[in-house]
Amino acid sequence: MGLNLSNRQIAHELGLNEDDAQDMTRNLRQGVVDASTTPTLAGTVEIDEVYLIAGHKGQSDLVKKNIVLDVDGD
């Protein structure tokens, strides 16, 4: 059984109440998050997707700005 199953499926497989299965999986998933480390980015970082917020009608200068992230702190 993996944590990629729904809480309902896990409850059914283990013969538990759905609320109990939800509490159990929340604790397990949070444990996985707590045990993982956050990677530190350095150098040039590629971003695959960018989402722009609409609402700049008539203000094309705001949309044309290039945003550069300085991850090295230089």
Side-chain angles (χ1 to χ4, degrees), residues 27-72:
N27 288 335
L28 289 171
R29 289 178 177 126
Q30 188 60 49
V32 170
V33 170
D34 292 344
S36 65
T37 60
T38 304
T40 302
L41 303 177
T44 302
V45 178
E46 179 180 340
I47 299 174
D48 292 332
E49 296 182 24
V50 175
Y51 296 92
L52 298 176
I53 299 173
H56 295 295
K57 269 189 174 176
Q59 299 178 15
S60 61
D61 291 340
L62 293 175
V63 178
K64 290 179 184 175
K65 285 185 181 179
N66 288 332
I67 299 173
V68 177
L69 299 176
D70 184 10
V71 294
D72 287 333

